[in-house]
Amino acid sequence: MTYKPIEQRFSVEYQYRLHFTRDLFSPENDQLAEIIRSYKPEGTTKLLFVLDDGVAAAFPGLHDKIQAWCRLNEATDFREIITVAGGEEVKNDDRYVEEVLKAIDRNHICRHSFVIVIGGGAVIDMAGYAATIAHRGVKLIRVPTTVLSQNDAAVGVKNGINYFGKKNFIGTFAVPYAIINDADFLTTLEQRDWIAGVSEGVKVSLIKDHDFFEFIERHAADFPARKPDIMQELIYRCAELHMQHIARGGDPFESGSSRPLDFGHWAAHKLEHMTGYSIRHGEAVAVGMALDVTYAMLCNITTEEVRNRVIRVLETIGFDLRLPVNGDEEIETLLNGIEEFREHLGGKLTITLLTEIGNKHDVHEIDTALMREAIRIMSNQQIDA
Ligand SMILES: NC(=O)c1ccc[n+]([C@@H]2O[C@H](COP(=O)([O-])OP(=O)(O)OC[C@H]3O[C@@H](n4cnc5c(N)ncnc54)[C@H](O)[C@@H]3O)[C@@H](O)[C@H]2O)c1
Ligand SMILES: [Zn+2]
């Protein structure tokens, strides 16, 4: 007796919204209540909050304000607020995942309840991961509080933590219920965190949208000057391009080998690790893009003019583009990042490079001698742009 394979096929449609607001937990703000009611129009829904301690420190009244807001809103069944370390530390130590899991268990958070995570990209990645593995997935609302998380990290479908010394080694693809960007959270960011996320806007403009790059170029000096309206425009367009890529790029869960949104990221991920996460993801991305555009120039994939234009914009925004590598050994360690990047995605090596502003070109091989040369140029940092 032979058995034919039993074929299985189904598709699932996903939908989620990124909302924009200010002062999310003011008594008059109905945004979050509306989102909860959109899920469950009648009765109450259990809420567990996970809060970044950097946000808690910057907004000392936030804890009480959230509780007061919940008391005012009948749709909510407030359970607990847990506070976790902000920054990459929270992704480097898996006990934080366990803390969130314990809180989910203690508060009987089920698939019909919400975990609401408020924080930077690192806390969002970690708590999102915990939420997606508890009961095989409890509902998640993300409230990102940094520029980078509002325009990139929190708007997509990836969650994760670092493991074996590797970025995002453990993680899940899972779709959030909703994301809420509250512009007021950004006011307390340190200057470096205000700036860091702008690099993801530069990235997505370089590979997808020439006009957006020109907007950023025109306003490059307005970013360090902290002009909030310009920042809001950048966040909006950057988030929109990231979300469009997920929905229309044909590979929302990255089963292929190409990841164009990771322009500049092979070096970025390695540099974050090599510096013990003393540089921010966004800062590392700026350095990684400057390196790859220099390499592309050395390979004649792009022109010196394009390369210098990119570097000028990044420097005006406030990035230090010097590669933090010293000596041959560190250069070789950095170069290992290319293979690690390939391994993370699986399949054929695919590195996205720029041909011109707004246009990318994927390569499947890196000329190591030329990349070493690019690294030397960018670490000696006589950047004559
Ligand atoms: N999942 C994804 O698709 C994706 C995409 C891009 C980046 N990421 C991840 O995002 C992380 C970086 O996120 P990030 O740039 O937001 O940095 P971060 O989360 O490391 O936060 C930086 C610092 O800012 C503090 N902070 C956060 N909000 C604040 C506020 N409103 N006021 C004052 N301080 C505040 C934090 O406590 C922390 O100390 C990295 O781990 C990166 O890998 C994930
Ligand atoms: Zn990134």
Side-chain angles (χ1 to χ4, degrees), residues 52 54-55 58-59 86-88 91 120-122 125 145-146 148-149 152-153 158 167-168 185 188-189 193 200 280-281:
D52 182 317
V55 180
F59 297 89
E88 205 67 24
K91 286 177 68 171
D125 268 0
T145 59
T146 60
L148 188 128
S149 55
D152 179 347
K158 294 190 276 186
K167 273 290 278 189
N168 305 325
F185 277 121
T188 54
L189 287 175
D193 286 308
E200 299 282 8
R280 298 280 197 260
H281 177 73

Side-chain angles (χ1 to χ4, degrees), residues 82-291:
I82 62 161
T83 304
V84 296
E88 205 67 24
E89 180 195 340
V90 84
K91 286 177 68 171
N92 279 333
D93 184 342
D94 60 357
R95 85 185 150 88
Y96 292 106
V97 172
E98 197 177 328
E99 261 182 45
V100 178
L101 290 174
K102 281 182 178 158
I104 288 174
D105 180 41
R106 181 164 73 235
N107 291 290
H108 309 288
I109 298 297
C110 65
R111 292 184 192 162
H112 302 275
S113 318
F114 285 104
V115 170
I116 302 179
V117 52
I118 306 170
V123 170
I124 296 223
D125 268 0
M126 182 283 294
Y129 169 61
T132 63
I133 59 171
H135 302 299
R136 300 200 174 93
V138 301
K139 297 210 159 25
L140 177 72
I141 296 176
R142 303 186 185 130
V143 182
T145 59
T146 60
V147 171
L148 188 128
S149 55
Q150 292 197 355
N151 71 12
D152 179 347
V155 307
V157 295
K158 294 190 276 186
N159 309 279
I161 58 168
N162 309 329
Y163 220 71
F164 301 132
K166 291 177 180 157
K167 273 290 278 189
N168 305 325
F169 186 88
I170 297 185
T172 54
F173 288 103
V175 180
Y177 188 79
I179 307 121
I180 311 171
N181 278 359
D182 177 346
D184 287 341
F185 277 121
L186 306 180
T187 54
T188 54
L189 287 175
E190 270 181 45
Q191 184 71 359
R192 69 182 296 198
D193 286 308
W194 173 268
I195 294 297
V198 181
S199 67
E200 299 282 8
V202 174
K203 171 200 78 180
V204 78
S205 76
L206 284 173
I207 55 180
K208 282 183 182 286
D209 185 341
H210 182 272
D211 291 351
F212 185 35
F213 181 80
E214 289 196 330
F215 163 82
I216 298 174
E217 192 174 45
R218 238 181 357 263
H219 292 285
D222 293 337
F223 294 105
R226 286 185 94 118
K227 297 220 171 126
D229 294 349
I230 301 295
M231 187 59 102
Q232 279 309 306
E233 265 192 65
L234 174 111
I235 289 172
Y236 193 93
R237 183 67 183 144
C238 181
E240 186 177 38
L241 284 166
H242 276 86
M243 287 173 72
Q244 282 173 354
H245 179 84
I246 293 166
R248 300 180 197 163
D251 192 14
F253 299 139
E254 296 176 3
S255 35
S257 303
S258 152
R259 214 159 68 166
L261 289 181
D262 273 357
F263 171 49
H265 277 58
W266 74 263
H269 286 163
K270 191 71 196 173
L271 289 169
E272 284 181 80
H273 181 64
M274 284 173 72
T275 58
Y277 297 95
S278 63
I279 58 172
R280 298 280 197 260
H281 177 73
E283 293 166 342
V285 170
V287 176
M289 288 191 294
L291 173 63

